[in-house]
PDB file of all heavy atoms in Angstrom:
ATOM      1  N   ALA A 185      90.182 110.183 104.439  1.00 39.00           N
ATOM      2  CA  ALA A 185      88.826 110.719 104.425  1.00 39.00           C
ATOM      3  C   ALA A 185      88.793 112.137 103.789  1.00 39.00           C
ATOM      4  O   ALA A 185      87.739 112.702 103.626  1.00 39.00           O
ATOM      5  CB  ALA A 185      88.343 110.861 105.901  1.00 39.00           C
ATOM      6  N   MET A 186      89.927 112.734 103.464  1.00 40.00           N
ATOM      7  CA  MET A 186      89.929 114.059 102.824  1.00 40.00           C
ATOM      8  C   MET A 186      89.300 113.976 101.428  1.00 40.00           C
ATOM      9  O   MET A 186      89.488 113.028 100.685  1.00 40.00           O
ATOM     10  CB  MET A 186      91.356 114.590 102.706  1.00 40.00           C
ATOM     11  CG  MET A 186      91.334 116.047 102.174  1.00 40.00           C
ATOM     12  SD  MET A 186      93.020 116.725 101.974  1.00 40.00           S
ATOM     13  CE  MET A 186      93.490 116.797 103.663  1.00 40.00           C
ATOM     14  N   SER A 187      88.515 114.951 101.107  1.00 40.00           N
ATOM     15  CA  SER A 187      87.858 115.029  99.804  1.00 40.00           C
ATOM     16  C   SER A 187      88.854 115.024  98.669  1.00 40.00           C
ATOM     17  O   SER A 187      89.880 115.632  98.757  1.00 40.00           O
ATOM     18  CB  SER A 187      87.049 116.332  99.773  1.00 40.00           C
ATOM     19  OG  SER A 187      86.592 116.581  98.442  1.00 40.00           O
ATOM     20  N   LYS A 188      88.537 114.316  97.622  1.00 43.00           N
ATOM     21  CA  LYS A 188      89.359 114.260  96.450  1.00 43.00           C
ATOM     22  C   LYS A 188      89.485 115.653  95.770  1.00 43.00           C
ATOM     23  O   LYS A 188      90.371 115.881  95.005  1.00 43.00           O
ATOM     24  CB  LYS A 188      88.783 113.264  95.475  1.00 43.00           C
ATOM     25  CG  LYS A 188      88.970 111.850  95.906  1.00 43.00           C
ATOM     26  CD  LYS A 188      88.691 110.882  94.829  1.00 43.00           C
ATOM     27  CE  LYS A 188      88.623 109.406  95.225  1.00 43.00           C
ATOM     28  NZ  LYS A 188      89.622 108.934  96.081  1.00 43.00           N
ATOM     29  N   ALA A 189      88.562 116.560  96.124  1.00 43.00           N
ATOM     30  CA  ALA A 189      88.702 117.911  95.625  1.00 43.00           C
ATOM     31  C   ALA A 189      89.981 118.628  96.091  1.00 43.00           C
ATOM     32  O   ALA A 189      90.400 119.574  95.421  1.00 43.00           O
ATOM     33  CB  ALA A 189      87.486 118.810  96.070  1.00 43.00           C
ATOM     34  N   PHE A 190      90.595 118.156  97.150  1.00 42.00           N
ATOM     35  CA  PHE A 190      91.780 118.769  97.658  1.00 42.00           C
ATOM     36  C   PHE A 190      93.065 118.079  97.205  1.00 42.00           C
ATOM     37  O   PHE A 190      94.127 118.410  97.671  1.00 42.00           O
ATOM     38  CB  PHE A 190      91.763 118.821  99.201  1.00 42.00           C
ATOM     39  CG  PHE A 190      90.648 119.759  99.690  1.00 42.00           C
ATOM     40  CD1 PHE A 190      89.494 119.239 100.204  1.00 42.00           C
ATOM     41  CD2 PHE A 190      90.794 121.133  99.602  1.00 42.00           C
ATOM     42  CE1 PHE A 190      88.511 120.070 100.631  1.00 42.00           C
ATOM     43  CE2 PHE A 190      89.805 121.986 100.062  1.00 42.00           C
ATOM     44  CZ  PHE A 190      88.665 121.440 100.549  1.00 42.00           C
ATOM     45  N   THR A 191      92.909 117.027  96.356  1.00 42.00           N
ATOM     46  CA  THR A 191      94.103 116.333  95.861  1.00 42.00           C
ATOM     47  C   THR A 191      94.501 116.930  94.506  1.00 42.00           C
ATOM     48  O   THR A 191      93.749 117.551  93.830  1.00 42.00           O
ATOM     49  CB  THR A 191      93.842 114.827  95.744  1.00 42.00           C
ATOM     50  OG1 THR A 191      92.856 114.622  94.794  1.00 42.00           O
ATOM     51  CG2 THR A 191      93.461 114.191  97.037  1.00 42.00           C
ATOM     52  N   SER A 192      95.728 116.649  94.122  1.00 41.00           N
ATOM     53  CA  SER A 192      96.253 117.206  92.919  1.00 41.00           C
ATOM     54  C   SER A 192      96.412 116.064  91.867  1.00 41.00           C
ATOM     55  O   SER A 192      96.796 114.989  92.273  1.00 41.00           O
ATOM     56  CB  SER A 192      97.621 117.862  93.182  1.00 41.00           C
ATOM     57  OG  SER A 192      98.337 118.030  92.017  1.00 41.00           O
ATOM     58  N   GLU A 193      96.212 116.339  90.619  1.00 42.00           N
ATOM     59  CA  GLU A 193      96.473 115.331  89.610  1.00 42.00           C
ATOM     60  C   GLU A 193      97.971 115.057  89.464  1.00 42.00           C
ATOM     61  O   GLU A 193      98.362 114.135  88.804  1.00 42.00           O
ATOM     62  CB  GLU A 193      95.904 115.780  88.226  1.00 42.00           C
ATOM     63  CG  GLU A 193      94.390 115.594  88.212  1.00 42.00           C
ATOM     64  CD  GLU A 193      93.903 115.234  86.862  1.00 42.00           C
ATOM     65  OE1 GLU A 193      94.463 114.321  86.207  1.00 42.00           O
ATOM     66  OE2 GLU A 193      92.959 115.890  86.467  1.00 42.00           O
ATOM     67  N   THR A 194      98.830 115.855  90.063  1.00 42.00           N
ATOM     68  CA  THR A 194     100.234 115.661  89.992  1.00 42.00           C
ATOM     69  C   THR A 194     100.814 115.088  91.255  1.00 42.00           C
ATOM     70  O   THR A 194     101.944 115.319  91.641  1.00 42.00           O
ATOM     71  CB  THR A 194     100.990 116.978  89.632  1.00 42.00           C
ATOM     72  OG1 THR A 194     100.680 117.951  90.607  1.00 42.00           O
ATOM     73  CG2 THR A 194     100.586 117.443  88.261  1.00 42.00           C
ATOM     74  N   GLU A 195      99.945 114.321  91.963  1.00 41.00           N
ATOM     75  CA  GLU A 195     100.301 113.738  93.256  1.00 41.00           C
ATOM     76  C   GLU A 195     101.539 112.874  93.025  1.00 41.00           C
ATOM     77  O   GLU A 195     101.578 112.131  92.024  1.00 41.00           O
ATOM     78  CB  GLU A 195      99.128 112.902  93.719  1.00 41.00           C
ATOM     79  CG  GLU A 195      99.231 112.338  95.074  1.00 41.00           C
ATOM     80  CD  GLU A 195      97.944 111.659  95.492  1.00 41.00           C
ATOM     81  OE1 GLU A 195      96.888 111.880  94.915  1.00 41.00           O
ATOM     82  OE2 GLU A 195      98.009 110.911  96.451  1.00 41.00           O
ATOM     83  N   PRO A 196     102.458 112.823  93.932  1.00 41.00           N
ATOM     84  CA  PRO A 196     103.684 111.995  93.753  1.00 41.00           C
ATOM     85  C   PRO A 196     103.310 110.534  93.692  1.00 41.00           C
ATOM     86  O   PRO A 196     102.307 110.068  94.212  1.00 41.00           O
ATOM     87  CB  PRO A 196     104.542 112.277  95.002  1.00 41.00           C
ATOM     88  CG  PRO A 196     103.820 113.300  95.788  1.00 41.00           C
ATOM     89  CD  PRO A 196     102.488 113.547  95.171  1.00 41.00           C
ATOM     90  N   GLN A 197     104.166 109.741  92.985  1.00 44.00           N
ATOM     91  CA  GLN A 197     103.959 108.357  92.777  1.00 44.00           C
ATOM     92  C   GLN A 197     103.610 107.582  94.056  1.00 44.00           C
ATOM     93  O   GLN A 197     102.655 106.825  94.156  1.00 44.00           O
ATOM     94  CB  GLN A 197     105.163 107.701  92.087  1.00 44.00           C
ATOM     95  CG  GLN A 197     105.256 106.218  92.196  1.00 44.00           C
ATOM     96  CD  GLN A 197     104.058 105.440  91.676  1.00 44.00           C
ATOM     97  OE1 GLN A 197     103.397 105.931  90.803  1.00 44.00           O
ATOM     98  NE2 GLN A 197     103.826 104.277  92.208  1.00 44.00           N
ATOM     99  N   GLY A 198     104.314 107.777  95.090  1.00 46.00           N
ATOM    100  CA  GLY A 198     104.126 107.092  96.326  1.00 46.00           C
ATOM    101  C   GLY A 198     102.768 107.324  97.013  1.00 46.00           C
ATOM    102  O   GLY A 198     102.308 106.579  97.868  1.00 46.00           O
ATOM    103  N   ALA A 199     102.123 108.435  96.632  1.00 50.00           N
ATOM    104  CA  ALA A 199     100.841 108.761  97.270  1.00 50.00           C
ATOM    105  C   ALA A 199      99.650 108.223  96.488  1.00 50.00           C
ATOM    106  O   ALA A 199      98.533 108.308  97.017  1.00 50.00           O
ATOM    107  CB  ALA A 199     100.721 110.221  97.421  1.00 50.00           C
ATOM    108  N   SER A 200      99.798 107.748  95.259  1.00 89.00           N
ATOM    109  CA  SER A 200      98.656 107.293  94.504  1.00 89.00           C
ATOM    110  C   SER A 200      98.175 105.902  95.019  1.00 89.00           C
ATOM    111  O   SER A 200      98.962 104.923  95.011  1.00 89.00           O
ATOM    112  CB  SER A 200      99.064 107.104  93.000  1.00 89.00           C
ATOM    113  OG  SER A 200      98.915 108.279  92.363  1.00 89.00           O
ATOM    114  N   ARG A 201      96.929 105.894  95.454  1.00 94.00           N
ATOM    115  CA  ARG A 201      96.371 104.680  95.942  1.00 94.00           C
ATOM    116  C   ARG A 201      95.099 104.324  95.180  1.00 94.00           C
ATOM    117  O   ARG A 201      94.363 105.227  94.850  1.00 94.00           O
ATOM    118  CB  ARG A 201      96.083 104.744  97.427  1.00 94.00           C
ATOM    119  CG  ARG A 201      97.357 104.908  98.264  1.00 94.00           C
ATOM    120  CD  ARG A 201      97.075 104.682  99.768  1.00 94.00           C
ATOM    121  NE  ARG A 201      98.294 104.605 100.472  1.00 94.00           N
ATOM    122  CZ  ARG A 201      98.941 103.441 100.646  1.00 94.00           C
ATOM    123  NH1 ARG A 201      98.529 102.325 100.245  1.00 94.00           N
ATOM    124  NH2 ARG A 201     100.129 103.427 101.322  1.00 94.00           N
ATOM    125  N   CYS A 202      94.913 103.058  94.992  1.00 96.00           N
ATOM    126  CA  CYS A 202      93.671 102.600  94.276  1.00 96.00           C
ATOM    127  C   CYS A 202      92.463 103.027  95.005  1.00 96.00           C
ATOM    128  O   CYS A 202      92.340 102.873  96.235  1.00 96.00           O
ATOM    129  CB  CYS A 202      93.739 101.061  94.177  1.00 96.00           C
ATOM    130  SG  CYS A 202      92.221 100.350  93.386  1.00 96.00           S
ATOM    131  N   PRO A 203      91.497 103.630  94.320  1.00 96.00           N
ATOM    132  CA  PRO A 203      90.263 104.088  94.993  1.00 96.00           C
ATOM    133  C   PRO A 203      89.401 102.955  95.487  1.00 96.00           C
ATOM    134  O   PRO A 203      88.571 103.194  96.316  1.00 96.00           O
ATOM    135  CB  PRO A 203      89.521 104.886  93.871  1.00 96.00           C
ATOM    136  CG  PRO A 203      90.112 104.304  92.601  1.00 96.00           C
ATOM    137  CD  PRO A 203      91.483 103.864  92.867  1.00 96.00           C
ATOM    138  N   THR A 204      89.616 101.717  95.092  1.00 96.00           N
ATOM    139  CA  THR A 204      88.819 100.600  95.485  1.00 96.00           C
ATOM    140  C   THR A 204      89.473  99.755  96.611  1.00 96.00           C
ATOM    141  O   THR A 204      88.872  99.595  97.676  1.00 96.00           O
ATOM    142  CB  THR A 204      88.439  99.691  94.306  1.00 96.00           C
ATOM    143  OG1 THR A 204      87.720 100.452  93.365  1.00 96.00           O
ATOM    144  CG2 THR A 204      87.612  98.508  94.719  1.00 96.00           C
ATOM    145  N   CYS A 205      90.744  99.351  96.353  1.00 96.00           N
ATOM    146  CA  CYS A 205      91.361  98.518  97.428  1.00 96.00           C
ATOM    147  C   CYS A 205      92.323  99.279  98.336  1.00 96.00           C
ATOM    148  O   CYS A 205      92.720  98.789  99.338  1.00 96.00           O
ATOM    149  CB  CYS A 205      92.099  97.342  96.778  1.00 96.00           C
ATOM    150  SG  CYS A 205      93.582  97.832  95.853  1.00 96.00           S
ATOM    151  N   GLY A 206      92.693 100.482  97.986  1.00 95.00           N
ATOM    152  CA  GLY A 206      93.575 101.310  98.753  1.00 95.00           C
ATOM    153  C   GLY A 206      95.048 100.995  98.669  1.00 95.00           C
ATOM    154  O   GLY A 206      95.869 101.654  99.356  1.00 95.00           O
ATOM    155  N   ARG A 207      95.408 100.044  97.848  1.00 95.00           N
ATOM    156  CA  ARG A 207      96.860  99.714  97.721  1.00 95.00           C
ATOM    157  C   ARG A 207      97.529 100.683  96.812  1.00 95.00           C
ATOM    158  O   ARG A 207      96.958 101.304  95.964  1.00 95.00           O
ATOM    159  CB  ARG A 207      96.954  98.297  97.148  1.00 95.00           C
ATOM    160  CG  ARG A 207      96.521  97.253  98.175  1.00 95.00           C
ATOM    161  CD  ARG A 207      96.650  95.874  97.586  1.00 95.00           C
ATOM    162  NE  ARG A 207      97.622  95.139  98.334  1.00 95.00           N
ATOM    163  CZ  ARG A 207      97.873  93.903  97.999  1.00 95.00           C
ATOM    164  NH1 ARG A 207      97.296  93.311  96.998  1.00 95.00           N
ATOM    165  NH2 ARG A 207      98.777  93.241  98.748  1.00 95.00           N
ATOM    166  N   PRO A 208      98.855 100.886  97.016  1.00 95.00           N
ATOM    167  CA  PRO A 208      99.568 101.776  96.180  1.00 95.00           C
ATOM    168  C   PRO A 208      99.570 101.346  94.706  1.00 95.00           C
ATOM    169  O   PRO A 208      99.705 100.149  94.411  1.00 95.00           O
ATOM    170  CB  PRO A 208     101.031 101.744  96.704  1.00 95.00           C
ATOM    171  CG  PRO A 208     100.904 101.135  98.050  1.00 95.00           C
ATOM    172  CD  PRO A 208      99.723 100.245  98.042  1.00 95.00           C
ATOM    173  N   GLY A 209      99.471 102.290  93.868  1.00 95.00           N
ATOM    174  CA  GLY A 209      99.500 101.972  92.398  1.00 95.00           C
ATOM    175  C   GLY A 209     100.898 102.162  91.813  1.00 95.00           C
ATOM    176  O   GLY A 209     101.756 102.674  92.490  1.00 95.00           O
ATOM    177  N   VAL A 210     101.058 101.700  90.623  1.00 95.00           N
ATOM    178  CA  VAL A 210     102.281 101.808  89.854  1.00 95.00           C
ATOM    179  C   VAL A 210     102.069 102.808  88.748  1.00 95.00           C
ATOM    180  O   VAL A 210     101.246 102.583  87.878  1.00 95.00           O
ATOM    181  CB  VAL A 210     102.726 100.451  89.265  1.00 95.00           C
ATOM    182  CG1 VAL A 210     104.028 100.601  88.473  1.00 95.00           C
ATOM    183  CG2 VAL A 210     102.956  99.387  90.368  1.00 95.00           C
ATOM    184  N   ARG A 211     102.720 103.996  88.832  1.00 95.00           N
ATOM    185  CA  ARG A 211     102.562 105.009  87.813  1.00 95.00           C
ATOM    186  C   ARG A 211     102.904 104.488  86.427  1.00 95.00           C
ATOM    187  O   ARG A 211     103.964 103.756  86.294  1.00 95.00           O
ATOM    188  CB  ARG A 211     103.338 106.208  88.125  1.00 95.00           C
ATOM    189  CG  ARG A 211     103.031 107.435  87.241  1.00 95.00           C
ATOM    190  CD  ARG A 211     103.811 108.632  87.530  1.00 95.00           C
ATOM    191  NE  ARG A 211     103.435 109.738  86.751  1.00 95.00           N
ATOM    192  CZ  ARG A 211     103.591 109.797  85.426  1.00 95.00           C
ATOM    193  NH1 ARG A 211     104.065 108.833  84.695  1.00 95.00           N
ATOM    194  NH2 ARG A 211     103.181 110.905  84.723  1.00 95.00           N
ATOM    195  N   VAL A 212     102.131 104.755  85.413  1.00 96.00           N
ATOM    196  CA  VAL A 212     102.343 104.352  84.052  1.00 96.00           C
ATOM    197  C   VAL A 212     102.277 105.571  83.152  1.00 96.00           C
ATOM    198  O   VAL A 212     101.666 106.507  83.354  1.00 96.00           O
ATOM    199  CB  VAL A 212     101.360 103.232  83.610  1.00 96.00           C
ATOM    200  CG1 VAL A 212     101.529 102.008  84.424  1.00 96.00           C
ATOM    201  CG2 VAL A 212      99.940 103.728  83.663  1.00 96.00           C
ATOM    202  N   GLU A 213     103.028 105.385  82.020  1.00 95.00           N
ATOM    203  CA  GLU A 213     103.033 106.401  80.956  1.00 95.00           C
ATOM    204  C   GLU A 213     101.759 106.236  80.136  1.00 95.00           C
ATOM    205  O   GLU A 213     101.193 105.173  80.063  1.00 95.00           O
ATOM    206  CB  GLU A 213     104.291 106.225  80.161  1.00 95.00           C
ATOM    207  CG  GLU A 213     105.547 106.464  80.887  1.00 95.00           C
ATOM    208  CD  GLU A 213     105.671 107.820  81.469  1.00 95.00           C
ATOM    209  OE1 GLU A 213     105.243 108.798  80.798  1.00 95.00           O
ATOM    210  OE2 GLU A 213     106.295 107.920  82.585  1.00 95.00           O
ATOM    211  N   ALA A 214     101.380 107.282  79.431  1.00 94.00           N
ATOM    212  CA  ALA A 214     100.209 107.306  78.584  1.00 94.00           C
ATOM    213  C   ALA A 214     100.292 106.235  77.510  1.00 94.00           C
ATOM    214  O   ALA A 214      99.310 105.653  77.214  1.00 94.00           O
ATOM    215  CB  ALA A 214     100.006 108.695  77.920  1.00 94.00           C
ATOM    216  N   VAL A 215     101.498 105.960  76.981  1.00 95.00           N
ATOM    217  CA  VAL A 215     101.664 104.991  75.933  1.00 95.00           C
ATOM    218  C   VAL A 215     101.140 103.594  76.352  1.00 95.00           C
ATOM    219  O   VAL A 215     100.594 102.828  75.547  1.00 95.00           O
ATOM    220  CB  VAL A 215     103.099 104.951  75.415  1.00 95.00           C
ATOM    221  CG1 VAL A 215     104.083 104.431  76.454  1.00 95.00           C
ATOM    222  CG2 VAL A 215     103.178 104.117  74.154  1.00 95.00           C
ATOM    223  N   THR A 216     101.376 103.255  77.663  1.00 96.00           N
ATOM    224  CA  THR A 216     100.964 101.961  78.197  1.00 96.00           C
ATOM    225  C   THR A 216      99.420 101.889  78.208  1.00 96.00           C
ATOM    226  O   THR A 216      98.825 100.914  77.692  1.00 96.00           O
ATOM    227  CB  THR A 216     101.443 101.791  79.596  1.00 96.00           C
ATOM    228  OG1 THR A 216     102.892 101.866  79.561  1.00 96.00           O
ATOM    229  CG2 THR A 216     101.137 100.448  80.190  1.00 96.00           C
ATOM    230  N   VAL A 217      98.805 102.884  78.727  1.00 96.00           N
ATOM    231  CA  VAL A 217      97.325 102.857  78.819  1.00 96.00           C
ATOM    232  C   VAL A 217      96.719 102.951  77.385  1.00 96.00           C
ATOM    233  O   VAL A 217      95.733 102.182  77.126  1.00 96.00           O
ATOM    234  CB  VAL A 217      96.786 104.127  79.642  1.00 96.00           C
ATOM    235  CG1 VAL A 217      95.264 104.078  79.705  1.00 96.00           C
ATOM    236  CG2 VAL A 217      97.392 104.012  81.060  1.00 96.00           C
ATOM    237  N   GLU A 218      97.290 103.700  76.506  1.00 95.00           N
ATOM    238  CA  GLU A 218      96.752 103.746  75.149  1.00 95.00           C
ATOM    239  C   GLU A 218      96.894 102.429  74.419  1.00 95.00           C
ATOM    240  O   GLU A 218      95.969 102.047  73.651  1.00 95.00           O
ATOM    241  CB  GLU A 218      97.510 104.854  74.348  1.00 95.00           C
ATOM    242  CG  GLU A 218      97.172 106.211  74.799  1.00 95.00           C
ATOM    243  CD  GLU A 218      98.155 107.285  74.261  1.00 95.00           C
ATOM    244  OE1 GLU A 218      98.997 106.919  73.385  1.00 95.00           O
ATOM    245  OE2 GLU A 218      98.035 108.490  74.731  1.00 95.00           O
ATOM    246  N   ALA A 219      97.907 101.626  74.691  1.00 95.00           N
ATOM    247  CA  ALA A 219      98.101 100.386  74.056  1.00 95.00           C
ATOM    248  C   ALA A 219      97.154  99.253  74.606  1.00 95.00           C
ATOM    249  O   ALA A 219      96.833  98.328  73.930  1.00 95.00           O
ATOM    250  CB  ALA A 219      99.609  99.906  74.231  1.00 95.00           C
TER     251      ALA A 219
END
């Protein structure tokens, strides 16, 4: 319930959760998203 304003863009991999389903995400490099 904490506001996203208090989160960091450099949040560790284990803490990244999908904003819709809440499941943990898999960190990807920019090259993957760009492709």
Side-chain angles (χ1 to χ4, degrees):
M186 186 181 292
S187 167
K188 290 192 189 315
F190 294 103
T191 62
S192 164
E193 281 213 50
T194 58
E195 187 174 344
Q197 162 56 28
S200 276
R201 294 194 169 272
C202 175
T204 299
C205 71
R207 292 178 114 179
V210 177
R211 189 180 182 295
V212 296
E213 298 297 324
V215 66
T216 302
V217 180
E218 290 167 7

